[in-house]
Amino acid sequence: HCLCRWFGVRAFVVLAPGGQSDAIQSESKANLLLSSISIAVNNTGCSVPVFVQTQQKWRRMYQGVCEGGGLRTNFDMIHLKRIPSQYNHLSGLLEVFKSKIACPLPSLPPVTVSVRFTYILSDWTQSAWTQEPPDFDIPYGGNVGGAEFGKLPFGACEDPVSELHLSTTWPCLSEEMIVDNSVYSDLDPLQAPQWSVRVRMTDNPQCLLGDYLSEFVKICHSLESTDQLLGGLLEDEDKDPSRDVSAALQRLTEPSPLPLPTISDVVSNMKTRTKFRRKEAPIGGELLNMILQFLFPDAALEGAARAEKPSKDQGGEKQDTAEYKETYRQYKSSPEGSLMYQLAMCMCVVNYNHGGLRAVAHLWQEFVLEMRYRWENNYTIPGLPEGSPDMSACLLLQKLQMLNCCIQRKTSREARMKEAAKQHPPAAALPDKSARGGTSAVSDGWDVEDSDEEFFECETELAMETDENIASNSDADSTQNSTLPKQKVASNSEPSNDRTNMHKSGSDMSFKDTVVSQPEGRLKQCGDLRLLDSSEPLYIPVTQEPGPMTEDMLEQHAEVLAKLGTSAEGAHLRARMQSACLLSDMEAFKAANPGCKLEDFVRWYSPRDWVEEAVTDETGQRVVRGELSPRMRIPGNMWCEVWEGARAVPARKQKRLFDDTKEAEKVLHYLASLRPAQVALHLMPMLVHAAILRVEEEGETTPPALATMLVQIQSRASKVLRAPNMDAQKCEELVRQVTLVETVIARARSLRAKFHTQTVRGEDGVKELERFVSSLLEQPEVKVIGAGRGPAGTVIHKLFATAQQAAHSFDDDDHSPSEHRAELDSCPDFPKPAGREYILRTTVPRPCPVSRPCPQRMFCTLIKEDFRLAGAFTSDTTFM
């Protein structure tokens, strides 16, 4: 409180008017209130000072009284807007103080004086701009901090340090030791024994990272769709209904000569590039090409080179370390340098510098079209982690990983079809379709496409079985090899069944589960195991891999299973839905091991459910016998039911467990249906992740207090970004925290740049300067060790001297160079003090010579438009 500094009290009571209109402006009213307070203080024996606020509140005028121990102290104050000339120095203030005391002694004891001068430095002539100037040679590089698409800008656009306040203090001087009048003053700041510094920061400086993120978060609240934002800018030919993907089903039903088009044909023939009217597109063509080439570096390649581009080029160096994986998983983001990571930063830069919401919608539409183009032309998506969707990453990354899986399976399947077509000539060399045998490798184009949509193609090459299998198998499966156990096998034979028969479900057709004469789909022999009912070796079949799933697919699947209820019928149906993969494996096992039974399958598939024990047979010999576990022998066991319904069908002839065409179209539809606000919310984890990484990178040399702030942000971001339903308002709070940290780092950089422009000798001096700069960021006022002679004091002195010379270095035609130089030499190192504070103290008996000596104090503040005297004058109430 101001009263602590003005009157030197720590505990006090203030009586102030409740409203501005109730201000106590009458002197008589104020005296009446003070008299009442004095009576109350005497009656209660209160020794705490009591103050009354008078005049308007902005003037901060107080009067008070304190009584106790036989002493009475009156607190009085004078406030003027201008400094009277006769009181503009210490000598005049001493006259006021002595006249107010009215000492009854012949000679007044010496007055002790404390002086504090404050100098303000606001002209930082030696400090550089906090941001690099824009490079206009780079295309679209005219924006400060926004020239790079793959890196978020950082730092303040203006100096976050506004002023430096240097306070020079003489703590205890006798009035006889100093001279300070209108003509001369002994108070030289360089001779002051104590220096202290305060730094005044710029209020809410413009910080690039915070501004970029704040503008992007605003998109999350928009309600417009992509069509609403871009619908009026499409060219007329884009509005042709015959080229609209939504008319695909209508084209399927139109009368046309055979062969009929399929969904894949119709969708693939749709236009996959958006054209805008010239000069009306939110993002210009040149800029859009730059962004797309940045996101898809393989786009410059063509043909096989582009298709063979590895999908881990972007950010691949950092995706293998466990520490790095844990970083992006903490925020449910994506790996640094991945496609989604780069897309998020591009979206942020485009939104801030190149068109706002409409530009974001435009870029997202082009991104979705690029995804469809890559799906239709079998180009893998670069910049994605390999493998199935990563559930610890963001949903958009999972969707793109799913699309990549679909592209890879589609590419592999089409490659096998082409290889099969080369090995077996077209239908011209064969009889008509009805005369083809069941072991024909490939039929004409219609049958190939039909089998592609209906059957699963095993993921390996045409050599998959051992020499032992070749000896026992004479059909196309005998060419298989066991060198690549987890790849899909190319089919050497297709069933000769009619297309209508293929589409019949199991409930409409009856299949005979008989022992086939020839095994199919063998991968390799399973150790030394043999079939229980024969001496034939037990073979591991080639099986289908379960289809990858994203987290929203898992949620939908779990929701469907939960809706089945807890009834017996629902539980049975739930078990049937979950046994599709088990059925496929059983059918492949039956095809690879003719004459097998459930016990053989369990021995390979679930060895823990096959219990073996040593028993004594009829001849008295110890033999090992096995049986199914108790859970497998429960009546109505699902494994038994599935085994009874399983047919001997190799994996290459089964219906695909994972329909890549269907799943790819689902992903593309999901991406195309997102509004810009939803896209922005999906990209927020990557942006917050990138912002935290940028803050950590830029804040390596910042004060220790920043580490605590970063830990708080990371903890908060982990909770907000991993929530099932991300909230845009909570993201805004995260952005504000990041902006605060950016401001702290910008202030630290600014101070470090200002204090390191001067040369400091010695290692100790450098350490002292580092400690001083760190203290300025953490404390409101910092003492300068050694005052003007210490390392920090020397730098501060040079800063003031340089600013003074710059202020007096204006060219003047009326002065010769020698006169100008002489003027600079005579320029003082410090400007006139912006504020002067004096504290006058003495001890004298009042009100009469026989009274006890009482302390007297007067505080004086002299600022440009503020003159204030606050006196605490004590009298003896016992010996009056």
Side-chain angles (χ1 to χ4, degrees):
H1 199 277
C2 59
L3 294 180
C4 298
R5 187 164 59 98
W6 292 343
F7 293 109
V9 293
R10 295 185 178 180
F12 51 88
V13 177
V14 177
L15 301 179
Q20 184 67 30
S21 60
D22 300 331
I24 304 173
Q25 300 186 13
S26 171
E27 184 177 355
S28 59
K29 189 175 180 180
N31 293 334
L32 178 61
L33 187 56
L34 285 174
S35 300
S36 302
I37 291 174
S38 299
I39 296 173
V41 167
N42 284 320
N43 293 337
T44 59
C46 177
S47 60
V48 177
V50 180
F51 292 90
V52 176
Q53 186 172 6
T54 61
Q55 304 299 325
Q56 295 86 354
K57 286 189 175 182
W58 65 269
R59 298 187 64 179
R60 296 192 295 176
M61 291 282 292
Y62 295 91
Q63 291 179 312
V65 64
C66 179
E67 291 194 17
L71 299 177
R72 176 189 177 92
T73 302
N74 292 317
F75 301 98
D76 297 324
M77 185 175 291
I78 298 174
H79 179 236
L80 301 175
K81 287 186 176 180
R82 295 184 180 180
I83 305 175
S85 58
Q86 65 271 28
Y87 305 128
N88 197 19
H89 41 75
L90 179 59
S91 58
L93 297 174
L94 285 172
E95 292 178 4
V96 174
F97 183 61
K98 293 177 180 180
S99 62
K100 184 64 177 177
I101 292 176
C103 180
L105 299 178
S107 61
L108 180 68
V111 177
T112 302
V113 181
S114 298
V115 183
R116 179 185 174 104
F117 285 180
T118 300
Y119 301 88
I120 297 178
L121 175 63
S122 57
D123 184 10
W124 307 98
T125 57
Q126 294 295 322
S127 62
W129 192 31
T130 56
Q131 290 291 331
E132 292 292 333
D135 188 358
F136 295 97
D137 295 333
I138 301 177
Y140 305 97
N143 298 295
V144 178
E148 299 182 17
F149 286 109
K151 191 174 183 180
L152 290 176
F154 189 90
C157 291
E158 55 183 323
D159 197 339
V161 179
S162 176
E163 297 175 347
L164 183 143
H165 293 195
L166 170 64
S167 296
T168 59
T169 305
W170 293 263
C172 186
L173 298 174
S174 175
E175 62 172 323
E176 300 172 350
M177 296 177 58
I178 59 173
V179 177
D180 183 34
N181 53 38
S182 59
V183 179
Y184 175 79
S185 176
D186 289 333
L187 301 175
D188 183 5
L190 290 176
Q191 303 301 323
Q194 295 180 7
W195 277 20
S196 61
V197 173
R198 295 191 310 272
V199 176
R200 182 180 177 184
M201 303 299 180
T202 304
D203 296 333
N204 301 321
Q206 181 185 3
C207 294
L208 290 174
L209 181 60
D211 286 355
Y212 274 62
L213 295 181
S214 299
E215 291 298 322
F216 193 79
V217 172
K218 293 179 182 178
I219 300 179
C220 300
H221 300 288
S222 64
L223 301 177
E224 295 86 354
S225 65
T226 303
D227 293 337
Q228 292 173 336
L229 293 169
L230 305 178
L233 300 178
L234 297 177
E235 289 186 353
D236 294 337
E237 63 180 43
D238 289 329
K239 299 178 182 180
D240 184 3
S242 63
R243 306 188 67 88
D244 187 8
V245 178
S246 61
L249 295 178
Q250 182 178 356
R251 291 188 58 198
L252 285 174
T253 58
E254 291 177 354
S256 59
L258 292 177
L260 294 173
T262 64
I263 285 287
S264 300
D265 294 334
V266 175
V267 174
S268 298
N269 291 332
M270 291 298 132
K271 191 171 184 180
T272 59
R273 287 294 183 272
T274 303
K275 292 185 178 180
F276 293 92
R277 297 192 184 97
R278 187 181 298 272
K279 298 182 180 180
E280 292 186 6
I283 304 178
E286 181 181 358
L287 176 62
L288 182 61
N289 289 334
M290 289 176 55
I291 297 175
L292 293 179
Q293 289 179 6
F294 170 74
L295 295 175
F296 306 100
D298 62 339
L301 304 175
E302 296 295 339
R306 176 174 181 175
E308 296 171 0
K309 184 79 173 179
S311 62
K312 201 179 177 183
D313 283 355
Q314 298 176 344
E317 298 179 357
K318 297 186 178 181
Q319 293 181 11
D320 296 332
T321 62
E323 180 181 358
Y324 185 76
K325 289 182 179 179
E326 184 64 26
T327 300
Y328 81 85
R329 288 174 177 172
Q330 178 182 359
Y331 312 116
K332 202 169 180 61
S333 173
S334 62
E336 182 182 359
S338 64
L339 177 60
M340 294 311 305
Y341 189 92
Q342 304 285 26
L343 176 64
M345 289 190 286
C346 286
M347 286 284 192
C348 189
V349 173
V350 164
N351 173 65
Y352 193 85
N353 292 327
H354 305 293
L357 179 61
R358 295 172 68 252
V360 169
H362 184 191
L363 180 56
W364 177 250
Q365 187 178 39
E366 291 293 335
F367 181 83
V368 175
L369 292 176
E370 177 70 18
M371 294 299 100
R372 177 168 288 282
Y373 177 82
R374 287 176 176 270
W375 158 247
E376 293 173 357
N377 295 275
N378 298 345
Y379 294 147
T380 57
I381 305 171
L384 299 179
E386 297 179 352
S388 301
D390 185 1
M391 298 297 174
S392 62
C394 65
L395 182 59
L396 285 184
L397 181 65
Q398 296 179 40
K399 291 292 185 182
L400 295 187
Q401 287 181 290
M402 171 68 78
L403 186 59
N404 239 4
C405 292
C406 297
I407 294 174
Q408 293 169 358
R409 299 221 179 169
K410 177 185 175 186
T411 303
S412 177
R413 186 177 66 254
E414 293 180 354
R416 290 192 303 271
M417 292 167 56
K418 291 180 180 179
E419 183 67 22
K422 291 180 181 178
Q423 294 182 1
H424 301 272
L430 301 174
D432 58 3
K433 187 182 300 185
S434 59
R436 296 178 191 169
T439 58
S440 63
V442 191
S443 57
D444 58 10
W446 177 268
D447 289 335
V448 169
E449 181 179 352
D450 175 40
S451 63
D452 170 31
E453 294 185 355
E454 187 67 25
F455 290 101
F456 172 80
E457 298 289 333
C458 294
E459 192 182 325
T460 187
E461 301 186 1
L462 296 177
M464 204 65 188
E465 295 189 352
T466 60
D467 296 339
E468 182 180 354
N469 296 335
I470 297 176
S472 60
N473 301 333
S474 59
D475 63 349
D477 287 312
S478 62
T479 63
Q480 295 180 348
N481 183 312
S482 62
T483 58
L484 298 174
K486 295 208 172 179
Q487 296 179 347
K488 296 191 185 242
V489 179
S491 171
N492 270 353
S493 64
E494 296 293 342
S496 60
N497 300 32
D498 221 341
R499 179 179 180 87
T500 56
N501 294 334
M502 295 177 186
H503 285 280
K504 292 182 180 180
S505 62
S507 60
D508 296 332
M509 301 179 63
S510 58
F511 297 94
K512 295 182 180 179
D513 191 10
T514 59
V515 177
V516 295
S517 58
Q518 296 295 338
E520 296 183 89
R522 286 179 173 179
L523 178 62
K524 61 181 180 180
Q525 187 173 339
C526 184
D528 297 332
L529 294 182
R530 294 182 176 274
L531 299 180
L532 296 177
D533 291 346
S534 65
S535 59
E536 292 293 329
L538 190 150
Y539 287 90
I540 298 176
V542 176
T543 59
Q544 296 193 52
E545 294 182 0
M549 299 183 73
T550 59
E551 63 179 19
D552 60 334
M553 295 171 62
L554 288 176
E555 291 176 0
Q556 295 174 4
H557 186 66
E559 184 178 356
V560 170
L561 295 180
K563 288 182 178 179
L564 295 177
T566 58
S567 62
E569 182 180 358
H572 182 78
L573 182 58
R574 186 184 302 108
R576 297 289 297 180
M577 292 177 61
Q578 294 175 325
S579 62
C581 184
L582 178 63
L583 174 62
S584 173
D585 293 341
M586 285 184 173
E587 291 182 343
F589 187 84
K590 282 187 174 183
N593 299 277
C596 63
K597 57 182 181 178
L598 178 60
E599 287 80 356
D600 297 316
F601 177 78
V602 170
R603 292 165 64 202
W604 163 67
Y605 203 83
S606 180
R608 289 184 299 178
D609 286 311
W610 179 253
V611 181
E612 292 182 344
E613 59 180 351
V615 297
T616 304
D617 59 2
E618 299 175 353
T619 61
Q621 297 181 354
R622 300 286 291 179
V623 295
V624 178
R625 292 181 180 178
E627 62 178 355
L628 295 176
S629 63
R631 77 182 186 99
M632 287 292 180
R633 299 197 301 269
I634 298 176
N637 182 272
M638 180 55 60
W639 284 51
C640 298
E641 294 184 7
V642 175
W643 179 263
E644 293 298 330
R647 300 173 289 118
V649 181
R652 61 186 176 83
K653 295 182 180 181
Q654 297 174 8
K655 186 174 182 178
R656 287 179 287 171
L657 292 177
F658 178 71
D659 190 344
D660 52 71
T661 303
K662 177 182 177 182
E663 297 301 330
E665 290 299 334
K666 283 183 178 180
V667 172
L668 293 173
H669 174 73
Y670 175 83
L671 298 178
S673 62
L674 290 177
R675 292 183 290 107
Q678 296 172 322
V679 175
L681 198 59
H682 278 296
L683 295 179
M684 278 307 299
M686 277 68 71
L687 280 181
V688 174
H689 181 197
I692 292 177
L693 292 180
R694 189 68 196 274
V695 167
E696 291 176 347
E697 175 187 353
E698 300 290 342
E700 293 180 352
T701 59
T702 50
L706 185 66
T708 303
M709 301 175 65
L710 280 176
V711 171
Q712 294 175 353
I713 292 178
Q714 291 171 353
S715 176
R716 180 64 178 170
S718 179
K719 294 178 181 178
V720 172
L721 302 180
R722 295 186 65 86
N725 297 318
M726 199 184 310
D727 188 358
Q729 293 183 350
K730 293 182 179 179
C731 292
E732 291 178 352
E733 296 176 2
L734 274 178
V735 170
R736 284 193 289 267
Q737 292 181 358
V738 172
T739 304
L740 177 60
V741 174
E742 181 186 15
T743 303
V744 172
I745 295 177
R747 290 171 177 173
R749 281 185 170 183
S750 178
L751 286 175
R752 191 170 288 109
K754 291 173 173 56
F755 282 89
H756 283 194
T757 54
Q758 308 295 335
T759 303
V760 179
R761 297 180 180 178
E763 184 178 354
D764 294 339
V766 174
K767 291 182 179 179
E768 173 60 28
L769 206 57
E770 287 284 350
R771 184 203 63 79
F772 177 75
V773 172
S774 299
S775 300
L776 283 177
L777 295 169
E778 299 174 359
Q779 303 175 13
E781 186 169 351
V782 180
K783 290 184 178 181
V784 181
I785 297 178
R789 294 170 295 279
T794 303
V795 173
I796 294 172
H797 178 205
K798 291 181 179 180
L799 288 174
F800 274 97
T802 304
Q804 282 292 100
Q805 292 180 1
H808 291 79
S809 63
F810 298 106
D811 294 332
D812 192 349
D813 296 338
D814 297 337
H815 293 79
S816 62
S818 59
E819 293 177 346
H820 182 68
R821 183 62 184 172
E823 183 179 353
L824 289 179
D825 293 339
S826 62
C827 175
D829 291 345
F830 289 88
K832 292 182 179 181
R836 291 171 292 167
E837 296 175 328
Y838 301 89
I839 300 178
L840 311 180
R841 302 183 186 90
T842 190
T843 302
V844 297
R846 289 185 69 202
C848 62
V850 297
S851 300
R852 288 179 295 176
C854 302
Q856 316 297 325
R857 183 183 190 273
M858 188 175 75
F859 178 86
C860 312
T861 301
L862 285 73
I863 307 177
K864 183 177 181 181
E865 295 182 354
D866 187 80
F867 176 77
R868 189 182 301 271
L869 301 180
F873 303 101
T874 306
S875 301
D876 187 358
T877 57
T878 303
F879 302 98
M880 301 182 62

